[in-house]
Amino acid sequence: MRTRNIALSSVAAATALLGVAGTAAADSTPAPSASAQSGAGDGAQALCKRVPKIEKRIHRALQRLQGKAGRRGSVARLEKRVEKAKAAGHTEIANFLDHKLTHRKSLVPTLQQRQKDLAKVAAWCRTHHNAASS
């Protein structure tokens, strides 16, 4: 008996919700959104909002990669590890670390390019009032 009452209540609630939603959808005409008005829809507003955080993240990553041999995650530290592995005769370890080093070195120019691109995005955001006034 209790299960039947719960089931009937659930069906009644779902019907009421669907009826209200359907009526609201039928009564309203879709208003063009801000992105539709500007024709963008490219997420400019969200990106402009995140620029400071992205700048910090890229800056920290570059500092880490370009750090001295004592800094964890730096290219210099990994180069030192490769040299030690080769000197110890650990060929497999040296090969693994060397491939890792190659990848890590390739990150530096990529991040530097992203930093330049992000500077241009930040300038665009400033000229377009952070894309929030659309």
Side-chain angles (χ1 to χ4, degrees):
M1 183 82 167
R2 183 175 179 201
T3 307
R4 188 174 127 217
N5 288 339
I6 292 173
L8 288 174
S9 300
S10 299
V11 170
T15 305
L17 285 174
L18 289 174
V20 171
T23 306
D27 290 342
S28 67
T29 57
S33 65
S35 63
Q37 290 173 352
S38 66
D42 60 355
Q45 186 174 359
L47 182 58
C48 287
K49 185 178 178 181
R50 291 193 43 79
V51 164
K53 287 182 180 182
I54 297 169
E55 284 175 337
K56 286 179 186 176
R57 182 176 290 149
I58 291 173
H59 180 72
R60 277 194 324 250
L62 281 172
Q63 275 187 324
R64 182 177 56 248
L65 289 169
Q66 296 170 338
K68 295 182 181 181
R71 174 115 189 218
R72 291 184 71 169
S74 70
V75 171
R77 182 180 177 120
L78 193 50
E79 286 173 339
K80 196 173 180 181
R81 288 180 64 198
V82 170
E83 290 172 13
K84 284 183 179 180
K86 286 180 181 177
H90 302 152
T91 311
E92 291 81 11
I93 304 297
N95 286 339
F96 175 80
L97 292 175
D98 195 40
H99 289 129
K100 193 172 178 177
L101 177 62
T102 302
H103 173 69
R104 196 170 289 179
K105 283 181 177 179
S106 74
L107 289 175
V108 174
T110 302
L111 288 172
Q112 288 171 337
Q113 183 60 47
R114 285 186 186 170
Q115 200 172 35
K116 291 175 190 173
D117 292 343
L118 193 61
K120 292 176 186 176
V121 168
W124 182 91
C125 290
R126 283 190 299 276
T127 61
H128 289 82
H129 309 297
N130 287 331
S133 63
S134 300

